[in-house]
Amino acid sequence: WVISLAKKKVKKTEKEIKQDKINILMDGVDRWAAFYRANPNRFVKDFLGIKLKRFQEIILCMMFRFPNSIYLASRGAGKTYLLAIFCIVYSILYPGASIRIASRTRTQAAEVIKKILAILNGEDASQIIKNEKLQDKISPSEAFIKWRNGSDTAVVTASETGRGQRANCLILDEFRMIDRDIIDTILKKFLAVPRMPGFMS
């Protein structure tokens, strides 16, 4: 006995074709996001068009792999620059992320925001990366960047008046200058709420 089975070709509706295209696109986004989250140094090279030194690539990867990172370096080693790169990459790859930058003085913490804006507005920056930024402000009272995907990066005060903030990522610039009690009782408490991606809702 020979039985031949043939699938009857069902013509898809326009809505189904559109949904198939969206599914293929989102599958690609999912794969690339996973790849770049595992290799942030490649994201910097491919997406931002910035060539980092080998030691900077290693430090950046370690910052993404471990929940606590400390980078001790002398003057001119590019600490603020690397922090700015980290903030850009983290904000883009993790939609809805909230980054808070604290330092002994607000002006020092605002240097990271200024460096981020310098990278985003640089001559070599592509239009794609420029479009990632939605809004920014630098003033004595506040300094922040809001990203198009819902992420935000802002400066907070490392003092008693800084209570009530929430963050998924906390950066302590020149942390040795910040009082240990402020770090333990105020700044670390910012991390009480984990990041909530859209699919969790």
Side-chain angles (χ1 to χ4, degrees):
W1 293 87
V2 178
I3 301 171
S4 60
L5 297 172
K7 275 190 177 179
K8 188 180 178 184
K9 284 193 176 179
V10 180
K11 193 172 182 182
K12 291 186 176 181
T13 64
E14 193 175 316
K15 188 177 179 182
E16 288 173 329
I17 293 169
K18 189 176 180 182
Q19 188 59 47
D20 285 348
K21 287 180 181 179
I22 290 170
N23 291 341
I24 291 167
L25 175 70
M26 293 312 292
D27 183 53
V29 168
D30 183 41
R31 288 169 185 263
W32 278 110
F35 173 77
Y36 282 132
R37 285 176 180 179
N39 303 281
N41 56 314
R42 287 294 303 272
F43 183 81
V44 172
K45 183 181 176 185
D46 296 348
F47 196 77
L48 304 183
I50 297 171
K51 185 157 174 33
L52 296 175
K53 304 270 193 243
R54 179 66 68 194
F55 81 93
Q56 291 174 320
E57 290 182 350
I58 293 167
I59 291 168
L60 185 66
C61 287
M62 293 300 105
M63 289 168 80
F64 272 84
R65 281 174 174 70
F66 296 100
N68 297 306
S69 302
I70 299 174
Y71 177 28
L72 300 171
S74 62
R75 284 182 180 273
K79 297 184 292 294
T80 306
Y81 178 74
L82 200 58
L83 275 179
I85 294 286
F86 172 81
C87 289
I88 293 170
V89 174
Y90 193 88
S91 297
I92 293 172
L93 290 181
Y94 293 90
S98 183
I99 300 174
R100 296 293 173 262
I101 305 164
S103 189
R104 190 177 180 186
T105 62
R106 288 185 71 86
T107 52
Q108 185 177 349
E111 288 300 317
V112 179
I113 299 287
K114 288 178 184 174
K115 193 69 80 172
I116 293 170
L117 292 174
I119 293 167
L120 295 178
N121 299 327
E123 292 178 8
D124 298 336
S126 67
Q127 195 58 44
I128 296 170
I129 189 66
K130 287 179 180 177
N131 289 340
E132 290 293 328
K133 182 187 67 163
L134 186 64
Q135 182 186 3
D136 65 86
K137 182 178 180 182
I138 297 178
S139 70
S141 59
E142 60 181 339
F144 66 84
I145 297 174
K146 290 188 186 292
W147 303 86
R148 202 164 290 281
N149 65 2
S151 296
D152 69 292
T153 307
V155 168
V156 294
T157 307
S159 67
E160 289 287 341
T161 59
R163 294 178 188 275
Q165 293 279 339
R166 292 292 173 261
N168 311 123
C169 180
L170 177 63
I171 295 172
L172 304 177
D173 192 19
E174 296 289 352
F175 77 97
R176 62 189 178 80
M177 305 295 286
I178 304 172
D179 187 79
R180 183 61 191 251
D181 288 338
I182 298 293
I183 293 173
D184 291 337
T185 60
I186 296 170
L187 299 177
K188 281 187 179 177
K189 304 294 183 187
F190 291 179
L191 301 170
V193 180
R195 187 179 75 90
M196 289 294 287
F199 73 87
M200 297 286 280
S201 301

